[in-house]
Every structure is written in C-alpha cells, then in structure tokens.
Amino acid sequence: MPLWPSPISTTDVASSGLRLAWPTVSGEEIWWTEDRPDEGGRTTIVHRAADGTRTELLAAPWNARSRVHEYGGQPYLVTPRGVVFVNLADQRLYLLSGEGEPEPLTSDDGSRYADLHLGDDRLWCVRERHDGKVTRAIVSVPLDGGASEELVTGSDFYAYPTLSPDGLHLAYICWNHPRMPWNGTELRITRLADGNSWTVKGGSSESVLAPAWKDDQHLYLVSDWSGWWNLYQIGIYGTSSQALHPAEEEFAGPLWQLGGRPYLVMADGRLAVLHGQGDLRLGLLDPETGELRDLDVPYAGWDPALSADGTTLAGVAYGGAIPRSVARIDTVTGRVEGLRRDIAELPDVAYLPTPEPVEFSGRFGRRVHAFLYRPLHAEGPAPYVVFVHGGPTGHSGSALDLEKAFFTSRGIGVIDVNYGGSTGYGRAYRDRLRGQWGVVDVEDTVATAEWLVTEGLADPARVAVRGGSAGGWTVMAACCTSNVFAGGVSYYGVSALAPLNAHTHDFESRYTEWLVGPEDPVLYAAREPLALVGGVSCPMLLLQGLDDPVVPPSQSSAFADALSERGVPCTYLSFEGESHGFRRTETRTAALAAELSFYQQIFTMPAT
C-alpha cells in the first residue's frame, strides 16, 4: 500500500498550533491568548473590540506565560486599570494600560504567579517561590504597585483563591504532597479579619475543585465524592451540602493548569456548566430545581475554562470538523459566534477524518475508550498508529486535529486511546492506574492495537504506537513488553523512575508514589522501560526538547543509548530551546517530517 499524496503539509500542521486559550468576555469585548509558532512559540494576548477589530496587545519579546507548577495556567487578568499578565522571562506581574510599556507590579525576586483573581482593587493569586525549597502561598497584590501581602501559607499547593461578595472571606483549594489535585484536595475558607481558617469539604480521598460564591454564606463547588466530579452547594461552615444535578458525568477536568473555571454563575443565578463523559458539553443549570438544559451549539466539546459577563458566555470549543475556536454565545438569543480558529485555512473536508467514539474490552474484560480516525484510500486492513495521551491523568477528545489528518489523508489510520487512568469517565476509571502505571496503560494500549486487528481495520504487521510525556513512557513500555507494534515514537517520554523523581519539578515530584508506589528498586525495575529495554525488538524514534524541566533530556537519551547498545534501530532527535511540548514552527515541522518518514519505512509505504 503506497503513501498517498496529501494537501496537508508539515508546515500546515506546525503553523496551526496557535494554542487558543483563556478567553475573557466583558460586554462586547473579548480577550484571549494565542501562541506565535513563528516567533519561538511565545504567547501573546489578543483583544477583540466591539467593532470586531483584533489587536495583539503584547509584541515581542513579551511572553505571557506562567511557570507555576511548570504548566502555568491563565497568564493574564482583565482589570479596570488594564490587563495584568505574567511575563515568562522573569515571572513578574505586569500591568498593561493604554499605549505605553507594561509596568511591573511585583519585585524581581524570582517569584512566580498564577490563578489571578480580582477583588477590592487587588489581585488575589497563587505565588510560587524557589528559594532552595519550593513554597507556595496565596497573596494579594495591589494594582497601584504597592507591597503585596501574604495571606495563606502552610500547604504545598493552592488553587482558586476566591473572595466572597462582602470581602470578608477568602475561599480556596489546597492539598499536600504526595497527593495530586485529582487524588484529594480540601476546600478551605480564611476569615480575612483575623486569619482564622477552616476546612469546608474534602480530604485525602476526595477531589474538590472550583469554588464559587453563591452569596456571603454559601458556595458552589465540584467534588468527586460520588465517584464523578459533580456540582454541589454548601454552607461556609460545611453544612447543608447539596448535590445540584447528580449524574454519572464529569463537570470538571484534572487541574493541570491554574485559573480555568469549568462552570460560572450567570447574572440570573443559573450556572453555565460543562458536563459529559469524554468531551464536555455546554449547558445551563438551574441550581434551585436541578434542571440542566444543553445549549444548541455546533461544538462537541469545550476546554474547562469558561468566561461570562451578564448573559454572554465565552470559551474555547471544538468539534470533529471544527478546529479549536474562541466562541461567544448569547444565552438569551442563542446566537453563537466563532471569533478565532486554531487553523486559519482548513483543507478540503474530504481530507479530514471523522472521529468515531469506540469502546471495547481489554484485558480481564476491562472497558477501554478511544476515538477512531479511519484512513483515506483504505481497502482492507490498513496501517495504523495508536496515539497515547500524556498525563497520564489526562484525556484525548474529539477536536479536529490537523496532525491526525496529516496521517489519515496519507492512508495511515489513527486511534486515540483513553486508557484506564484517563479522565472523563469517573473516578473509578481514573483510579485504575493507581499503583498500575506501566501495567494498565500498557495493557489497554496493546488491547487497542489488537482490537483494530480483530475488527479487520488494521494490518497486524503495520501497527505503530506514539505518545508524549507519560504517553512516551507507555510507548516505550509497550515496545519493551509486547510484540504487537511495528515501531514506537516517543516524544519527551519517561524511561526511568528514580532519576525522574530526583530531577523533575516539584508539582509531580511525588506523583510516581500514586502511579507506581514508594521508591523501590525491585518494583521500579519491573516497570520502567530502561530496565526492560532488552525486550524491544522494533525500531523506535525518540524526540526530546533540551530545555525540558518536567522530563529531563536524559530520560530519552539514556533509552536511545540502551537501544543502540543492543543493536535495535533507533533515531534520537533533540531540539535546543524546546521545553515540555514543542512550540516552535521549525521544531514541529522537523519532528512531524521525521515521524512520517519513520512510518513510511516501518510500514514499507512507497510514495506515489
């Protein structure tokens, strides 16, 4: 079977990575962030005026990106005085007002800031310091440039600092090592007059997220107490907890980045919510009756970061044939506007694959979720690539992805697996990976390839696997312990646990205790790809950014060296200036070209 020609080029895919995110709506105006792949992948803030005029607010070298937890989050906040943002180079907060240069609001002491909220003409946010030991606190920063005030300390992590309507109480989420925010968090309140604090809800085995004030005495929140991230109302002293709409659906996603709101209180008291299994749909929930009505929109899913003003909503939405887009919705008239798309020029729709949600049985009868993207030109079993998402506590949705279309339009099918441990299907599905990383994820990935073959979709000799970060771990582990794959592609993947624990960033420094177990050389050797590398018999392609603070480059280079020592064909490509996730056009172009060439060789697909 040949490699078919396609109008979708590597440059098309690389230039589509605008990473539209974090919209903020106010009246007829709207702001959002987007990347500039041709400018080293820097992030700018875009403003769309009431007349539709679009203006880039930050010119180079300004770069709006927070490094709190290394994954950051919403890097800006619109205030009456102007736009406040975090600058990547020094992590200081700056105020951009009018036509002048941004003015610093915080000192140049290496502190990092995220999760910005406005109240009483001050910013309420999370501050992270790296003074030998990493510490975090909730602080308030005056917009007039005065000294910041440290308000809450003592926990390892904080999120969602939210001031009560009367300004007397501060609600927030906190948690400590070794937990991650999807394992267990607490909703706490601090009385600002005297600093007295108490826990409202949560604990070591309940993930509580996204508090929002209903009034001075009650809050809304998301909790997975029932096994699903559902919405609740609760009193400020933990009394009168009430589920608003009990359902086997998720109303939030994992807290990898700070600042996103998966639901909002509208002007009329209703809640704009995201909910569903897998992709999250947009609806309006009446908290008094529990009635939930989905809005009639052309999108299949939304990022869990909404913005609202009055009766207007904004967010980043997507569909199987719709690229990720900044969308604005009038909840009264039903008017939907797509204001900016991640892909400027779409290819002919005939070259775009349609995502098909599939579910099948894996090992021990476990149900496995995935999205199937059939290849063009397929007549009988075709070559396929199993995509494995990172996290591993994450999720792959059905958004139109030009990278997948790049392969399917050339005759290579794609299946994107949400293995056990993924989010979107409840806590029990998420907890399948507890202590089982390198086992359940690998078994589900292998089962995905076997299902393709059993269904007659894939040629058993031409199935490959690819993934990034935690997905790269799964790729390497699957190639070490099975023989179903013709080749594997790892982007900045994890190969050895003890070095990862020693050198990764603070946020995930204890993550492996939940994923695998306490550090134990025998246990680690039974799981980690570097210890199992002798089982690899298929070619591999490894790609790595050399400035990666999350997965150090030695993770990929050590695995590449081990393969070479054993005579296993391996190509290792490293990229200067790239971090955890490639942002530059030239890097993404080169990586994708290398990946296509790799598949063409292992699948024996001559160009037509």
Side-chain angles (χ1 to χ4, degrees):
M1 179 178 176
L3 188 74
W4 294 89
S6 168
I8 305 172
S9 68
T10 55
T11 303
D12 291 333
V13 178
S15 61
S16 70
L18 297 182
R19 295 180 187 244
L20 302 173
W22 312 116
T24 298
V25 62
S26 178
E28 294 297 316
E29 299 177 88
I30 189 167
W31 296 254
W32 64 84
T33 62
E34 59 181 65
D35 280 8
R36 293 286 178 264
D38 293 334
E39 299 178 33
R42 76 177 186 92
T43 302
T44 188
I45 302 170
V46 175
H47 171 244
R48 187 182 190 275
D51 63 1
T53 302
R54 198 168 63 222
T55 304
E56 181 177 328
L57 299 184
L58 298 179
W62 297 104
N63 192 345
R65 181 147 45 106
S66 169
R67 289 191 60 190
V68 171
H69 298 177
E70 294 300 346
Y71 296 112
Q74 180 161 351
Y76 77 97
L77 183 69
V78 178
T79 78
R81 293 175 179 258
V83 177
V84 176
F85 69 96
V86 182
N87 185 47
L88 176 64
D90 56 12
Q91 289 297 288
R92 299 171 75 182
L93 289 171
Y94 287 82
L95 175 64
L96 176 64
S97 57
E99 300 294 330
E101 283 290 294
E103 296 291 335
L105 293 177
T106 54
S107 58
D108 190 11
D109 61 2
S111 294
R112 306 176 181 185
Y113 298 89
D115 223 340
L116 313 177
H117 302 272
L118 182 66
D120 293 341
D121 203 36
R122 302 173 70 89
L123 297 176
W124 306 76
C125 56
V126 175
R127 184 195 66 204
E128 180 179 279
R129 282 182 168 169
H130 293 246
D131 299 323
K133 178 184 179 182
V134 180
T135 60
R136 298 174 187 86
I138 295 177
V139 300
S140 68
V141 180
L143 287 175
D144 61 9
S148 62
E149 179 183 0
E150 191 173 82
L151 300 171
V152 182
T153 61
S155 293
D156 293 330
F157 302 97
Y158 295 97
Y160 301 108
T162 308
L163 191 65
S164 62
D166 59 13
L168 299 180
H169 296 97
L170 183 71
Y172 52 92
I173 299 297
C174 60
W175 68 99
N176 291 311
H177 282 306
R179 298 196 303 268
M180 299 299 284
W182 40 86
N183 302 143
T185 61
E186 296 180 15
L187 166 60
R188 290 181 62 83
I189 289 179
T190 293
R191 187 164 50 230
L192 295 176
D194 58 13
N196 187 36
S197 301
W198 60 92
T199 298
V200 178
K201 189 168 175 57
S204 61
S205 59
E206 179 183 4
S207 175
V208 180
L209 302 172
W213 291 91
K214 177 183 180 181
D215 53 43
D216 295 332
Q217 297 297 313
H218 300 87
L219 297 110
Y220 299 118
L221 59 92
V222 173
S223 168
D224 69 352
W225 176 83
S226 68
W228 297 82
W229 271 315
N230 278 193
L231 273 163
Y232 294 81
Q233 176 183 308
I234 197 168
I236 63 171
Y237 296 106
T239 58
S240 306
S241 177
Q242 175 187 351
L244 300 183
H245 185 86
E248 291 190 349
E249 293 186 328
E250 304 282 44
F251 284 72
L255 190 63
W256 283 103
Q257 293 185 299
L258 299 178
R261 294 282 176 171
Y263 72 94
L264 292 168
V265 183
M266 303 292 288
D268 61 5
R270 290 182 297 173
L271 304 181
V273 303
L274 298 175
H275 69 107
Q277 290 192 26
D279 293 326
L280 299 178
R281 307 184 304 278
L282 178 63
L284 292 176
L285 172 64
D286 185 331
E288 303 304 323
T289 66
E291 180 185 358
L292 174 57
R293 176 180 62 85
D294 284 346
L295 294 177
D296 184 13
V297 296
Y299 307 109
W302 296 74
D303 289 355
L306 297 174
S307 175
D309 184 41
T311 59
T312 301
L313 286 170
V316 173
Y318 57 82
I322 304 173
R324 297 178 74 257
S325 307
V326 176
R328 180 168 58 190
I329 298 171
D330 187 319
T331 59
V332 175
T333 66
R335 183 185 182 194
V336 180
E337 298 174 275
L339 305 178
R340 177 74 158 157
R341 300 191 309 186
D342 193 52
I343 304 171
E345 296 293 333
L346 282 176
D348 188 319
V349 68
Y351 289 95
L352 301 178
T354 300
E356 301 174 40
V358 296
E359 187 178 342
F360 47 88
S361 293
R363 193 175 186 192
F364 306 122
R366 291 191 305 249
R367 303 304 291 167
V368 181
H369 298 273
F371 285 100
L372 175 68
Y373 300 84
R374 299 176 188 265
L376 283 181
H377 317 295
E379 296 180 2
Y384 263 85
V385 180
V386 179
F387 277 39
V388 186
H389 67 69
T393 308
H395 175 78
S396 288
S398 64
L400 172 60
D401 182 353
L402 215 54
E403 189 172 62
K404 293 185 177 73
F406 176 82
F407 294 117
T408 59
S409 62
R410 288 172 165 79
I412 301 173
V414 169
I415 188 166
D416 206 349
V417 59
N418 282 306
Y419 48 83
S422 301
T423 59
Y425 307 100
R427 179 148 191 157
Y429 196 84
R430 203 164 74 234
D431 281 352
R432 284 186 190 177
L433 209 56
R434 183 173 187 173
Q436 296 297 306
W437 195 35
V439 179
V440 167
D441 53 317
V442 171
E443 290 174 349
D444 288 356
T445 300
V446 170
T448 302
E450 292 172 340
W451 177 82
L452 287 171
V453 173
T454 300
E455 293 294 310
L457 297 171
D459 178 344
R462 296 195 292 174
V463 180
V465 59
R466 65 99 82 169
S469 190
W473 154 281
T474 304
V475 166
M476 288 187 265
C479 291
C480 288
T481 58
S482 73
N483 58 4
V484 301
F485 296 110
V489 178
S490 168
Y491 283 79
Y492 34 88
V494 176
S495 68
L497 294 174
L500 178 73
N501 294 343
H503 299 292
T504 193
H505 60 134
D506 181 67
F507 178 61
E508 294 181 89
S509 61
R510 308 276 301 272
Y511 195 9
T512 54
E513 292 182 30
W514 186 87
L515 290 169
V516 179
E519 189 160 332
D520 177 342
V522 176
L523 175 62
Y524 279 15
R527 297 287 184 85
E528 59 189 19
L530 190 59
L532 303 172
V533 68
V536 179
S537 59
C538 64
M540 297 201 70
L541 170 64
L542 309 178
L543 306 101
Q544 177 71 48
L546 294 180
D547 294 340
D548 192 334
V550 178
V551 177
S554 58
Q555 293 280 326
S556 290
S557 62
F559 196 73
D561 290 343
L563 289 174
S564 297
E565 289 173 4
R566 288 160 176 77
V568 178
C570 174
T571 299
Y572 172 58
L573 301 177
S574 61
F575 299 92
E576 292 278 359
E578 288 289 3
S579 182
H580 198 66
F582 298 160
R583 290 174 175 264
R584 299 179 177 184
T585 297
E586 58 270 27
T587 302
R588 299 182 70 213
T589 300
L592 193 59
E595 190 175 353
L596 178 64
S597 175
F598 178 76
Y599 297 143
Q600 188 174 2
Q601 294 174 62
I602 65 172
F603 292 155
T604 316
M605 299 178 72
T608 58

